[in-house]
Amino acid sequence: MPEPVSHLQRVLRHPLLWPVLALLVLLAVNVAVKPSFLGVRMQDGHLYGNVVDIARNSAPVMLVALGMTLVIATRGIDLSVGAIAAIAAAVACTRIIGAGDESALSTAVMATTYAVVVCIVLGAWNGLLVSVLGIQPIIATLILMVAGRGISMAVTDGQITTVNNPFFSDLASGYVLTLPLAFLLAVAMVLLTALLTRRTALGMLIEAVGINPEASRLAGVRSRTIIWTVYAFSGLCAGIAGLVIAANTNSVNANSLGLWIELDAILAVVIGGTSLMGGRFSLAGTFVGALFIATLARTIPNIGIPSEVNYLFKAVVVIAVCLLQSPKARGLLRVRRQSSPTLANGATS
């Protein structure tokens, strides 16, 4: 009979262990450099501090990574999320400027709704290319990644578009119950997605398509519909993220908004424990991964890393975390550690 697994072994085998430990290590490094790093203060009825800033800044990556998680679970990838975010911001800002009353609540609501609908359509377009036409996901989404920047530039006439709408600005700078609205919006999306994928059969169907698309089709699963749905959802998440980024500066630069956010999103998903080979996925892991990426971005200037090497430092840290998560890498390290005393004893004798 197999030996019973102890509580400690369950903890050590939990897929969230290493991402959470990596996040805690980053926080510890920041506290060592700046003891007041975790300090939070109340001002004007809102919470302020580095931790609050990390939570707010993690919202765009968390939203994009949320959609990316489901796409990756179906053995796909979505490289167009940054361009879709830029399109959402461009559409919303141009609609706000073109409205009769630029600062009205109805203007912000209509502009953001219009932008989100456009992004869902763009996501569905990716799904069409992948599920119906059979184009490889990396190629299908690369098309919109390139063309999307051109679309957003065309929408804004190649200009940096600035808006003045306080309700739109609240997406990034607003607070609810002393907490940043952007972070609460991202958390609400994560919880809603978890509810839909873990309390219904949707999550199981997504994993089935990712594990074996052909077998799931023969079992009666409408794999095309599932794939189409997750790409449309990815477009929705990217669109909301683009609105949050634009609201942070009350402007849109179609050339740079959301640039490379797809890479941060993929890293957050992988750090969270979701395999790029498809199948099982972890929304909780993605949540932790997004917080890790945002904390790392705050850590780099806090510990004095020169700006010219910050991308290299970020890459080294991410590689280290991924190696810690790899069972094969940990197994090799364990074998090496066990063989060292044996070699030492042999040399002594």
Side-chain angles (χ1 to χ4, degrees):
M1 292 180 62
E3 296 182 4
V5 180
S6 66
H7 183 69
L8 178 60
Q9 288 175 321
R10 289 196 190 95
V11 172
L12 292 177
R13 294 177 183 177
H14 199 283
L16 285 180
L17 173 65
W18 296 108
V20 171
L21 282 179
L23 179 60
L24 292 176
V25 168
L26 273 185
L27 293 175
V29 168
N30 282 284
V31 171
V33 174
K34 187 178 180 181
S36 62
F37 182 81
L38 295 179
V40 177
R41 70 182 189 279
M42 181 73 75
Q43 182 178 329
D44 299 328
H46 307 313
L47 291 177
Y48 290 90
N50 289 304
V51 177
V52 180
D53 290 340
I54 289 172
R56 179 192 297 108
N57 296 337
S58 70
V61 174
M62 191 178 297
L63 286 165
V64 176
L66 178 62
M68 189 74 73
T69 301
L70 300 188
V71 169
I72 288 176
T74 61
R75 290 191 181 185
I77 200 77
D78 191 350
L79 299 180
S80 67
V81 287
I84 292 177
I87 291 173
V91 170
C93 288
T94 52
R95 294 283 293 186
I96 290 174
I97 287 180
D101 187 357
E102 183 179 340
S103 61
L105 172 61
S106 59
T107 300
V109 171
M110 292 301 297
T112 53
T113 301
Y114 191 78
V116 166
V117 171
V118 169
C119 292
I120 293 174
V121 172
L122 292 173
W125 166 256
N126 284 334
L128 173 69
L129 295 181
V130 174
S131 64
V132 178
L133 300 183
I135 300 176
Q136 287 292 324
I138 194 170
I139 301 300
T141 58
L142 185 63
I143 295 171
L144 187 55
M145 177 185 178
V146 176
R149 291 288 168 186
I151 293 172
S152 57
M153 291 286 286
V155 171
T156 59
D157 292 327
Q159 305 295 319
I160 297 177
T161 305
T162 305
V163 298
N164 181 22
N165 187 301
F167 301 102
F168 181 70
S169 302
D170 282 345
L171 276 176
S173 58
Y175 287 82
V176 175
L177 300 176
T178 74
L179 295 175
L181 176 60
F183 179 68
L184 293 177
L185 178 61
V187 170
M189 286 292 293
V190 172
L191 293 177
L192 179 61
T193 306
L195 183 66
L196 291 175
T197 56
R198 297 309 183 193
R199 297 298 180 181
T200 69
L202 179 60
M204 182 183 64
L205 295 176
I206 291 173
E207 291 179 348
V209 171
I211 293 171
N212 194 323
E214 184 62 21
S216 62
R217 184 185 67 81
L218 294 175
V221 177
R222 295 183 178 180
S223 56
R224 285 185 177 181
T225 304
I226 296 295
I227 293 173
W228 209 331
T229 301
V230 296
Y231 278 97
F233 180 71
S234 179
L236 166 66
C237 293
I240 298 174
L243 294 175
V244 171
I245 297 171
N248 191 45
T249 58
N250 289 314
S251 64
V252 53
N253 183 348
N255 223 9
S256 62
L257 190 145
L259 192 63
W260 307 128
I261 195 172
E262 56 271 9
L263 301 185
D264 281 343
I266 294 171
L267 287 175
V269 174
V270 173
I271 289 172
T274 298
S275 172
L276 289 175
M277 300 301 293
R280 295 186 64 84
F281 61 91
S282 173
L283 296 179
T286 297
F287 178 81
V288 175
L291 289 177
F292 176 85
I293 295 295
T295 305
L296 181 59
R298 176 55 68 98
T299 302
I300 290 173
N302 190 49
I303 64 178
I305 298 294
S307 59
E308 58 269 18
V309 297
N310 61 1
Y311 287 110
L312 177 61
F313 177 79
K314 185 176 181 180
V316 170
V317 172
V318 170
I319 290 173
V321 174
C322 291
L323 287 176
L324 284 174
Q325 288 181 276
S326 169
K328 184 176 289 188
R330 293 203 306 271
L332 290 173
L333 186 63
R334 192 180 301 113
V335 170
R336 187 178 181 85
R337 191 165 55 242
Q338 290 173 351
S339 62
S340 297
T342 305
L343 293 175
N345 293 334
T348 304
S349 60

Short mmCIF file of all heavy atoms in Angstrom, two decimals, residues 183-212:
data_model
loop_
_atom_site.label_atom_id
_atom_site.label_comp_id
_atom_site.label_asym_id
_atom_site.label_seq_id
_atom_site.Cartn_x
_atom_site.Cartn_y
_atom_site.Cartn_z
N PHE A 183 -7.75 47.59 -8.94
CA PHE A 183 -7.43 46.29 -8.35
C PHE A 183 -8.70 45.51 -8.03
O PHE A 183 -8.79 44.30 -8.29
CB PHE A 183 -6.59 46.48 -7.09
CG PHE A 183 -6.23 45.20 -6.38
CD1 PHE A 183 -5.36 44.30 -6.96
CD2 PHE A 183 -6.77 44.91 -5.14
CE1 PHE A 183 -5.03 43.11 -6.32
CE2 PHE A 183 -6.45 43.73 -4.49
CZ PHE A 183 -5.57 42.83 -5.08
N LEU A 184 -9.69 46.21 -7.48
CA LEU A 184 -10.95 45.54 -7.15
C LEU A 184 -11.65 45.03 -8.42
O LEU A 184 -12.27 43.96 -8.40
CB LEU A 184 -11.87 46.50 -6.40
CG LEU A 184 -11.40 46.92 -5.00
CD1 LEU A 184 -12.37 47.93 -4.40
CD2 LEU A 184 -11.27 45.71 -4.09
N LEU A 185 -11.55 45.79 -9.50
CA LEU A 185 -12.13 45.36 -10.77
C LEU A 185 -11.45 44.08 -11.27
O LEU A 185 -12.11 43.14 -11.72
CB LEU A 185 -11.98 46.48 -11.81
CG LEU A 185 -12.49 46.19 -13.22
CD1 LEU A 185 -13.99 45.90 -13.20
CD2 LEU A 185 -12.19 47.37 -14.15
N ALA A 186 -10.11 44.05 -11.17
CA ALA A 186 -9.37 42.86 -11.59
C ALA A 186 -9.71 41.66 -10.72
O ALA A 186 -9.91 40.55 -11.23
CB ALA A 186 -7.86 43.14 -11.55
N VAL A 187 -9.80 41.87 -9.41
CA VAL A 187 -10.14 40.78 -8.49
C VAL A 187 -11.56 40.27 -8.78
O VAL A 187 -11.81 39.05 -8.77
CB VAL A 187 -10.02 41.24 -7.03
CG1 VAL A 187 -10.60 40.21 -6.07
CG2 VAL A 187 -8.57 41.52 -6.67
N ALA A 188 -12.48 41.19 -9.06
CA ALA A 188 -13.85 40.79 -9.38
C ALA A 188 -13.88 39.93 -10.64
O ALA A 188 -14.62 38.94 -10.71
CB ALA A 188 -14.73 42.02 -9.55
N MET A 189 -13.08 40.29 -11.63
CA MET A 189 -13.02 39.49 -12.86
C MET A 189 -12.45 38.10 -12.59
O MET A 189 -12.92 37.10 -13.13
CB MET A 189 -12.17 40.22 -13.91
CG MET A 189 -12.85 41.41 -14.54
SD MET A 189 -14.26 40.95 -15.59
CE MET A 189 -13.43 40.08 -16.91
N VAL A 190 -11.42 38.04 -11.73
CA VAL A 190 -10.83 36.74 -11.38
C VAL A 190 -11.86 35.86 -10.67
O VAL A 190 -12.01 34.67 -10.97
CB VAL A 190 -9.58 36.93 -10.49
CG1 VAL A 190 -9.09 35.58 -9.96
CG2 VAL A 190 -8.47 37.61 -11.27
N LEU A 191 -12.58 36.45 -9.69
CA LEU A 191 -13.57 35.69 -8.94
C LEU A 191 -14.72 35.23 -9.84
O LEU A 191 -15.21 34.10 -9.71
CB LEU A 191 -14.11 36.54 -7.78
CG LEU A 191 -13.11 36.86 -6.67
CD1 LEU A 191 -13.75 37.77 -5.63
CD2 LEU A 191 -12.59 35.60 -6.02
N LEU A 192 -15.16 36.10 -10.73
CA LEU A 192 -16.24 35.74 -11.65
C LEU A 192 -15.81 34.60 -12.58
O LEU A 192 -16.57 33.66 -12.82
CB LEU A 192 -16.66 36.96 -12.47
CG LEU A 192 -17.77 36.73 -13.50
CD1 LEU A 192 -19.06 36.27 -12.82
CD2 LEU A 192 -18.03 38.01 -14.31
N THR A 193 -14.57 34.69 -13.08
CA THR A 193 -14.05 33.64 -13.95
C THR A 193 -13.91 32.32 -13.18
O THR A 193 -14.22 31.25 -13.71
CB THR A 193 -12.69 34.05 -14.52
OG1 THR A 193 -12.82 35.33 -15.17
CG2 THR A 193 -12.19 33.04 -15.53
N ALA A 194 -13.44 32.41 -11.94
CA ALA A 194 -13.31 31.21 -11.11
C ALA A 194 -14.68 30.57 -10.88
O ALA A 194 -14.82 29.34 -10.92
CB ALA A 194 -12.64 31.55 -9.79
N LEU A 195 -15.67 31.41 -10.66
CA LEU A 195 -17.03 30.90 -10.45
C LEU A 195 -17.55 30.18 -11.68
O LEU A 195 -18.15 29.10 -11.59
CB LEU A 195 -17.96 32.06 -10.07
CG LEU A 195 -19.41 31.71 -9.75
CD1 LEU A 195 -19.48 30.87 -8.48
CD2 LEU A 195 -20.24 32.98 -9.59
N LEU A 196 -17.30 30.75 -12.85
CA LEU A 196 -17.81 30.17 -14.09
C LEU A 196 -17.06 28.90 -14.49
O LEU A 196 -17.63 27.99 -15.09
CB LEU A 196 -17.72 31.20 -15.22
CG LEU A 196 -18.68 32.39 -15.13
CD1 LEU A 196 -18.39 33.39 -16.24
CD2 LEU A 196 -20.13 31.93 -15.19
N THR A 197 -15.76 28.85 -14.17
CA THR A 197 -14.96 27.70 -14.62
C THR A 197 -14.87 26.58 -13.59
O THR A 197 -14.59 25.43 -13.96
CB THR A 197 -13.54 28.15 -14.98
OG1 THR A 197 -12.94 28.83 -13.85
CG2 THR A 197 -13.54 29.09 -16.17
N ARG A 198 -15.09 26.89 -12.32
CA ARG A 198 -14.96 25.87 -11.28
C ARG A 198 -16.29 25.42 -10.70
O ARG A 198 -16.37 24.36 -10.09
CB ARG A 198 -14.05 26.38 -10.15
CG ARG A 198 -12.62 26.67 -10.59
CD ARG A 198 -12.00 25.51 -11.33
NE ARG A 198 -10.60 25.74 -11.69
CZ ARG A 198 -9.93 25.00 -12.55
NH1 ARG A 198 -10.53 23.97 -13.14
NH2 ARG A 198 -8.67 25.27 -12.84
N ARG A 199 -17.33 26.22 -10.88
CA ARG A 199 -18.65 25.84 -10.38
C ARG A 199 -19.56 25.35 -11.49
O ARG A 199 -20.71 24.99 -11.25
CB ARG A 199 -19.30 27.02 -9.66
CG ARG A 199 -18.55 27.48 -8.42
CD ARG A 199 -18.51 26.38 -7.38
NE ARG A 199 -17.80 26.81 -6.17
CZ ARG A 199 -17.59 26.03 -5.13
NH1 ARG A 199 -18.03 24.79 -5.13
NH2 ARG A 199 -16.92 26.48 -4.08
N THR A 200 -19.08 25.39 -12.72
CA THR A 200 -19.83 24.84 -13.85
C THR A 200 -18.90 23.89 -14.61
O THR A 200 -17.73 23.73 -14.25
CB THR A 200 -20.32 25.94 -14.80
OG1 THR A 200 -19.19 26.53 -15.47
CG2 THR A 200 -21.05 27.04 -14.02
N ALA A 201 -19.42 23.30 -15.67
CA ALA A 201 -18.62 22.36 -16.47
C ALA A 201 -17.66 23.07 -17.42
O ALA A 201 -16.85 22.41 -18.07
CB ALA A 201 -19.54 21.45 -17.26
N LEU A 202 -17.71 24.41 -17.49
CA LEU A 202 -16.90 25.13 -18.47
C LEU A 202 -15.41 24.88 -18.27
O LEU A 202 -14.68 24.65 -19.23
CB LEU A 202 -17.20 26.64 -18.37
CG LEU A 202 -16.41 27.54 -19.32
CD1 LEU A 202 -16.68 27.15 -20.77
CD2 LEU A 202 -16.76 29.00 -19.08
N GLY A 203 -14.96 24.93 -17.01
CA GLY A 203 -13.54 24.72 -16.75
C GLY A 203 -13.08 23.34 -17.18
O GLY A 203 -11.99 23.18 -17.78
N MET A 204 -13.89 22.33 -16.92
CA MET A 204 -13.56 20.96 -17.32
C MET A 204 -13.51 20.83 -18.84
O MET A 204 -12.64 20.14 -19.40
CB MET A 204 -14.59 19.99 -16.75
CG MET A 204 -14.32 18.53 -17.05
SD MET A 204 -15.62 17.44 -16.42
CE MET A 204 -17.03 17.99 -17.41
N LEU A 205 -14.42 21.51 -19.53
CA LEU A 205 -14.44 21.46 -20.99
C LEU A 205 -13.20 22.14 -21.58
O LEU A 205 -12.62 21.65 -22.55
CB LEU A 205 -15.71 22.11 -21.52
CG LEU A 205 -17.03 21.43 -21.16
CD1 LEU A 205 -18.21 22.24 -21.67
CD2 LEU A 205 -17.07 20.01 -21.70
N ILE A 206 -12.81 23.26 -20.99
CA ILE A 206 -11.60 23.96 -21.45
C ILE A 206 -10.38 23.07 -21.28
O ILE A 206 -9.53 22.96 -22.18
CB ILE A 206 -11.42 25.29 -20.68
CG1 ILE A 206 -12.52 26.28 -21.08
CG2 ILE A 206 -10.05 25.89 -20.94
CD1 ILE A 206 -12.53 27.55 -20.26
N GLU A 207 -10.26 22.43 -20.12
CA GLU A 207 -9.13 21.54 -19.87
C GLU A 207 -9.15 20.33 -20.80
O GLU A 207 -8.10 19.88 -21.28
CB GLU A 207 -9.13 21.09 -18.41
CG GLU A 207 -8.81 22.23 -17.43
CD GLU A 207 -8.83 21.77 -15.99
OE1 GLU A 207 -9.31 20.63 -15.73
OE2 GLU A 207 -8.37 22.53 -15.12
N ALA A 208 -10.35 19.81 -21.09
CA ALA A 208 -10.46 18.67 -22.00
C ALA A 208 -9.98 19.03 -23.39
O ALA A 208 -9.26 18.26 -24.04
CB ALA A 208 -11.91 18.19 -22.04
N VAL A 209 -10.36 20.21 -23.87
CA VAL A 209 -9.92 20.67 -25.19
C VAL A 209 -8.40 20.84 -25.21
O VAL A 209 -7.74 20.50 -26.19
CB VAL A 209 -10.62 21.99 -25.56
CG1 VAL A 209 -10.00 22.60 -26.81
CG2 VAL A 209 -12.11 21.75 -25.77
N GLY A 210 -7.84 21.35 -24.11
CA GLY A 210 -6.39 21.56 -24.05
C GLY A 210 -5.62 20.26 -23.96
O GLY A 210 -4.52 20.14 -24.52
N ILE A 211 -6.16 19.27 -23.26
CA ILE A 211 -5.45 17.99 -23.10
C ILE A 211 -5.46 17.20 -24.40
O ILE A 211 -4.43 16.69 -24.85
CB ILE A 211 -6.10 17.16 -21.97
CG1 ILE A 211 -5.87 17.86 -20.62
CG2 ILE A 211 -5.52 15.75 -21.93
CD1 ILE A 211 -6.65 17.25 -19.48
N ASN A 212 -6.62 17.09 -25.04
CA ASN A 212 -6.72 16.35 -26.30
C ASN A 212 -7.91 16.87 -27.10
O ASN A 212 -9.05 16.43 -26.89
CB ASN A 212 -6.88 14.85 -26.04
CG ASN A 212 -6.65 14.02 -27.29
OD1 ASN A 212 -7.02 14.42 -28.39
ND2 ASN A 212 -6.03 12.86 -27.12
#
